[in-house]
Amino acid sequence: MTTDLIDLRAARTADCKALAGIHNEAWLGAYRGVLHGLELQRMISRRGESWWRGALARGVNIKILAIADVPAGYATYGPCRLRNTKMDGEIYELYLKPEYQGLGFGRRLFEHIQKIFADRRASGIAVQVLSDNDPAKAFYQAIGGQLSGKSWHRVGGRRLELSIYVWPNRNT
């Protein structure tokens, strides 16, 4: 048992229901009005408990941010898939339940993942965010992200713009 109120730890199979719930709540809060309702519901429904069990079985890196032993957010991360950024690491997702947003928990989770990559002597990390997601862009800018480029993703026949932010590791 930990005496810390906030815990950052690797996800476990027992967390899969909580991960699905966090994903659902965060996506509804972030993308309602940005993605069409039916498209959004389809994307959310794909990320149920069994999807998260499969992700853990495949070895996906998932960190849980737990508050008083209750999962409140998560981040997935790994090798950078964005070739033009020259970053070694990437945060694929970073989501918090809406009631925990704006309180510094996202920054804490981000900095934890950033330290993991710094300890690996990675050149830095990159994040892609939907360009229409103004709160997420403001968050990444506030924690020092440098806009390095744009990308595109197709959802339901629509082409959506993504903004790419980077954080070079100053120690490499």
Side-chain angles (χ1 to χ4, degrees):
M1 180 173 135
T2 180
T3 58
D4 294 334
L5 181 62
I6 301 168
D7 188 23
L8 293 158
R9 61 172 175 77
R12 305 182 285 253
T13 304
D15 295 316
C16 290
K17 182 175 182 176
L19 285 163
I22 294 165
H23 180 267
N24 184 341
E25 289 181 48
W27 272 54
L28 284 174
Y31 303 121
R32 186 179 283 139
V34 175
L35 298 174
H36 295 302
L38 189 54
E39 291 168 4
L40 179 57
Q41 284 305 119
R42 281 186 192 139
M43 293 175 81
I44 289 171
S45 69
R46 292 181 192 140
R47 290 287 196 96
E49 285 182 64
S50 62
W51 188 94
W52 289 101
R53 273 192 219 89
L56 287 171
R58 290 188 308 275
V60 173
N61 294 309
I62 307 169
K63 282 289 180 185
I64 293 276
L65 175 114
I67 300 173
D69 293 326
V70 177
Y74 73 88
T76 61
Y77 61 96
C80 188
R81 305 165 296 182
L82 308 166
R83 295 183 189 134
N84 294 334
T85 65
K86 299 180 182 160
M87 300 292 111
D88 294 330
E90 182 179 352
I91 295 178
Y92 308 134
E93 299 178 298
L94 191 153
Y95 291 109
L96 299 174
K97 287 183 173 183
E99 62 266 30
Y100 294 103
Q101 295 173 8
L103 302 171
F105 297 120
R107 176 184 292 265
R108 190 159 178 180
L109 182 54
F110 178 89
E111 288 173 350
H112 182 77
I113 304 300
Q114 189 177 36
K115 184 176 180 337
I116 289 170
F117 283 115
D119 289 348
R120 295 177 184 171
R121 303 244 187 262
S123 60
I125 56 176
V127 171
Q128 290 187 93
V129 61
L130 200 58
S131 294
D132 287 340
N133 187 342
D134 292 330
K137 289 189 327 186
F139 167 73
Y140 289 121
Q141 291 166 3
I143 60 174
Q146 302 166 11
L147 183 63
S148 75
K150 301 283 184 174
S151 181
W152 303 94
H153 183 72
R154 190 164 293 282
V155 174
R158 289 179 42 203
R159 187 176 179 214
L160 301 173
E161 183 183 78
L162 300 169
S163 295
I164 302 168
Y165 291 92
V166 297
W167 291 259
N169 184 351
R170 307 276 184 235
N171 299 325
T172 57

CSV table of all heavy atoms in Angstrom, one decimal, residues 92-114:
chain,number,residue,atom,x,y,z
A,92,TYR,N,1.5,8.7,-27.4
A,92,TYR,CA,0.4,8.4,-28.4
A,92,TYR,C,-0.9,9.0,-27.8
A,92,TYR,O,-1.7,9.5,-28.6
A,92,TYR,CB,0.3,6.9,-28.6
A,92,TYR,CG,1.5,6.2,-29.0
A,92,TYR,CD1,1.9,5.0,-28.4
A,92,TYR,CD2,2.4,6.7,-30.0
A,92,TYR,CE1,3.0,4.3,-28.8
A,92,TYR,CE2,3.6,6.1,-30.4
A,92,TYR,CZ,3.9,4.9,-29.7
A,92,TYR,OH,5.0,4.2,-30.1
A,93,GLU,N,-1.1,8.9,-26.5
A,93,GLU,CA,-2.3,9.4,-25.9
A,93,GLU,C,-2.0,9.8,-24.5
A,93,GLU,O,-1.2,9.2,-23.8
A,93,GLU,CB,-3.4,8.2,-25.8
A,93,GLU,CG,-3.8,7.6,-27.0
A,93,GLU,CD,-4.8,6.5,-26.7
A,93,GLU,OE1,-4.4,5.5,-26.1
A,93,GLU,OE2,-6.0,6.6,-27.2
A,94,LEU,N,-2.7,10.9,-24.1
A,94,LEU,CA,-2.6,11.3,-22.7
A,94,LEU,C,-4.0,11.9,-22.4
A,94,LEU,O,-4.4,12.9,-23.0
A,94,LEU,CB,-1.5,12.4,-22.5
A,94,LEU,CG,-1.2,12.8,-21.1
A,94,LEU,CD1,0.2,13.3,-21.0
A,94,LEU,CD2,-2.2,13.7,-20.4
A,95,TYR,N,-4.7,11.2,-21.6
A,95,TYR,CA,-6.1,11.6,-21.2
A,95,TYR,C,-6.3,11.5,-19.7
A,95,TYR,O,-5.9,10.6,-19.1
A,95,TYR,CB,-7.1,10.7,-22.0
A,95,TYR,CG,-7.1,10.9,-23.4
A,95,TYR,CD1,-6.6,9.9,-24.3
A,95,TYR,CD2,-7.7,12.0,-24.0
A,95,TYR,CE1,-6.6,10.1,-25.7
A,95,TYR,CE2,-7.7,12.2,-25.4
A,95,TYR,CZ,-7.2,11.3,-26.2
A,95,TYR,OH,-7.2,11.5,-27.6
A,96,LEU,N,-7.2,12.5,-19.3
A,96,LEU,CA,-7.6,12.5,-17.9
A,96,LEU,C,-9.1,12.5,-17.9
A,96,LEU,O,-9.7,13.1,-18.8
A,96,LEU,CB,-7.1,13.7,-17.2
A,96,LEU,CG,-5.6,13.9,-17.0
A,96,LEU,CD1,-5.3,15.3,-16.4
A,96,LEU,CD2,-5.0,12.8,-16.2
A,97,LYS,N,-9.7,12.0,-16.9
A,97,LYS,CA,-11.2,12.2,-16.7
A,97,LYS,C,-11.4,13.7,-16.6
A,97,LYS,O,-10.6,14.5,-16.0
A,97,LYS,CB,-11.7,11.6,-15.4
A,97,LYS,CG,-11.7,10.1,-15.5
A,97,LYS,CD,-12.3,9.6,-14.2
A,97,LYS,CE,-12.6,8.1,-14.2
A,97,LYS,NZ,-13.2,7.6,-12.9
A,98,PRO,N,-12.5,14.2,-17.1
A,98,PRO,CA,-12.7,15.7,-17.2
A,98,PRO,C,-12.6,16.4,-15.8
A,98,PRO,O,-12.1,17.5,-15.7
A,98,PRO,CB,-14.1,15.8,-17.7
A,98,PRO,CG,-14.3,14.6,-18.6
A,98,PRO,CD,-13.5,13.5,-17.9
A,99,GLU,N,-13.0,15.7,-14.8
A,99,GLU,CA,-13.0,16.4,-13.4
A,99,GLU,C,-11.6,16.6,-12.9
A,99,GLU,O,-11.3,17.3,-11.9
A,99,GLU,CB,-13.8,15.6,-12.4
A,99,GLU,CG,-13.4,14.2,-12.1
A,99,GLU,CD,-14.1,13.2,-12.9
A,99,GLU,OE1,-14.5,13.5,-14.1
A,99,GLU,OE2,-14.3,12.1,-12.4
A,100,TYR,N,-10.6,15.9,-13.5
A,100,TYR,CA,-9.2,16.0,-13.1
A,100,TYR,C,-8.4,16.9,-14.0
A,100,TYR,O,-7.2,17.2,-13.8
A,100,TYR,CB,-8.5,14.7,-13.0
A,100,TYR,CG,-9.1,13.8,-11.9
A,100,TYR,CD1,-10.0,12.8,-12.2
A,100,TYR,CD2,-8.8,14.0,-10.6
A,100,TYR,CE1,-10.6,12.0,-11.2
A,100,TYR,CE2,-9.4,13.3,-9.6
A,100,TYR,CZ,-10.3,12.3,-9.9
A,100,TYR,OH,-10.8,11.5,-8.9
A,101,GLN,N,-9.0,17.5,-15.0
A,101,GLN,CA,-8.3,18.3,-16.0
A,101,GLN,C,-8.2,19.7,-15.4
A,101,GLN,O,-9.0,20.2,-14.7
A,101,GLN,CB,-9.1,18.4,-17.3
A,101,GLN,CG,-9.1,17.0,-18.0
A,101,GLN,CD,-9.9,17.0,-19.3
A,101,GLN,OE1,-10.4,18.0,-19.7
A,101,GLN,NE2,-10.1,15.8,-19.8
A,102,GLY,N,-7.1,20.4,-15.8
A,102,GLY,CA,-6.8,21.8,-15.3
A,102,GLY,C,-6.3,21.9,-13.9
A,102,GLY,O,-6.2,23.0,-13.4
A,103,LEU,N,-5.9,20.8,-13.3
A,103,LEU,CA,-5.4,20.8,-11.9
A,103,LEU,C,-3.9,20.4,-11.8
A,103,LEU,O,-3.5,20.2,-10.7
A,103,LEU,CB,-6.3,19.8,-11.1
A,103,LEU,CG,-7.8,20.1,-11.1
A,103,LEU,CD1,-8.5,19.0,-10.4
A,103,LEU,CD2,-8.0,21.4,-10.4
A,104,GLY,N,-3.2,20.3,-12.9
A,104,GLY,CA,-1.8,19.9,-12.9
A,104,GLY,C,-1.5,18.5,-13.0
A,104,GLY,O,-0.3,18.1,-13.1
A,105,PHE,N,-2.5,17.6,-13.1
A,105,PHE,CA,-2.3,16.2,-13.2
A,105,PHE,C,-1.8,15.8,-14.5
A,105,PHE,O,-1.0,14.9,-14.7
A,105,PHE,CB,-3.6,15.4,-12.8
A,105,PHE,CG,-4.0,15.6,-11.4
A,105,PHE,CD1,-5.3,16.1,-11.1
A,105,PHE,CD2,-3.2,15.3,-10.3
A,105,PHE,CE1,-5.7,16.3,-9.8
A,105,PHE,CE2,-3.6,15.4,-9.0
A,105,PHE,CZ,-4.9,16.0,-8.8
A,106,GLY,N,-2.3,16.4,-15.6
A,106,GLY,CA,-1.8,16.1,-16.9
A,106,GLY,C,-0.3,16.5,-17.1
A,106,GLY,O,0.4,15.7,-17.7
A,107,ARG,N,0.1,17.6,-16.5
A,107,ARG,CA,1.5,18.0,-16.5
A,107,ARG,C,2.3,17.0,-15.8
A,107,ARG,O,3.4,16.6,-16.3
A,107,ARG,CB,1.6,19.4,-15.9
A,107,ARG,CG,3.1,19.8,-15.8
A,107,ARG,CD,3.3,21.1,-15.0
A,107,ARG,NE,2.7,22.2,-15.8
A,107,ARG,CZ,3.4,23.0,-16.6
A,107,ARG,NH1,4.7,22.8,-16.7
A,107,ARG,NH2,2.9,24.0,-17.3
A,108,ARG,N,1.8,16.5,-14.7
A,108,ARG,CA,2.6,15.5,-13.9
A,108,ARG,C,2.7,14.2,-14.7
A,108,ARG,O,3.8,13.6,-14.7
A,108,ARG,CB,1.9,15.3,-12.6
A,108,ARG,CG,2.7,14.5,-11.6
A,108,ARG,CD,2.2,14.7,-10.2
A,108,ARG,NE,2.9,13.9,-9.3
A,108,ARG,CZ,2.7,13.9,-8.0
A,108,ARG,NH1,1.8,14.6,-7.5
A,108,ARG,NH2,3.4,13.1,-7.2
A,109,LEU,N,1.7,13.8,-15.3
A,109,LEU,CA,1.8,12.5,-16.1
A,109,LEU,C,2.7,12.7,-17.3
A,109,LEU,O,3.6,11.9,-17.6
A,109,LEU,CB,0.4,12.2,-16.6
A,109,LEU,CG,0.2,10.9,-17.4
A,109,LEU,CD1,0.8,9.7,-16.7
A,109,LEU,CD2,-1.3,10.7,-17.7
A,110,PHE,N,2.6,13.9,-18.0
A,110,PHE,CA,3.5,14.2,-19.1
A,110,PHE,C,4.9,14.2,-18.7
A,110,PHE,O,5.8,13.6,-19.3
A,110,PHE,CB,3.1,15.5,-19.7
A,110,PHE,CG,4.0,15.9,-20.8
A,110,PHE,CD1,3.7,15.5,-22.1
A,110,PHE,CD2,5.2,16.6,-20.6
A,110,PHE,CE1,4.6,15.9,-23.2
A,110,PHE,CE2,6.0,16.9,-21.6
A,110,PHE,CZ,5.7,16.6,-22.9
A,111,GLU,N,5.2,14.9,-17.6
A,111,GLU,CA,6.6,15.0,-17.1
A,111,GLU,C,7.2,13.6,-16.7
A,111,GLU,O,8.4,13.3,-16.9
A,111,GLU,CB,6.7,16.0,-16.0
A,111,GLU,CG,6.6,17.4,-16.5
A,111,GLU,CD,6.5,18.4,-15.4
A,111,GLU,OE1,6.4,18.1,-14.2
A,111,GLU,OE2,6.5,19.6,-15.7
A,112,HIS,N,6.3,12.7,-16.2
A,112,HIS,CA,6.7,11.4,-15.8
A,112,HIS,C,7.2,10.6,-17.1
A,112,HIS,O,8.2,10.0,-17.1
A,112,HIS,CB,5.6,10.7,-15.1
A,112,HIS,CG,5.9,9.3,-14.7
A,112,HIS,ND1,6.7,9.0,-13.6
A,112,HIS,CD2,5.6,8.1,-15.2
A,112,HIS,CE1,6.8,7.7,-13.4
A,112,HIS,NE2,6.2,7.1,-14.4
A,113,ILE,N,6.4,10.7,-18.1
A,113,ILE,CA,6.7,10.0,-19.4
A,113,ILE,C,8.0,10.7,-20.0
A,113,ILE,O,8.9,10.0,-20.5
A,113,ILE,CB,5.6,10.1,-20.4
A,113,ILE,CG1,4.3,9.4,-19.8
A,113,ILE,CG2,5.9,9.4,-21.7
A,113,ILE,CD1,4.4,8.0,-19.4
A,114,GLN,N,8.0,12.0,-20.0
A,114,GLN,CA,9.2,12.7,-20.5
A,114,GLN,C,10.5,12.2,-19.8
A,114,GLN,O,11.5,12.0,-20.4
A,114,GLN,CB,9.0,14.2,-20.3
A,114,GLN,CG,10.0,15.1,-21.0
A,114,GLN,CD,9.7,16.5,-20.8
A,114,GLN,OE1,9.2,17.0,-19.8
A,114,GLN,NE2,10.0,17.3,-21.8
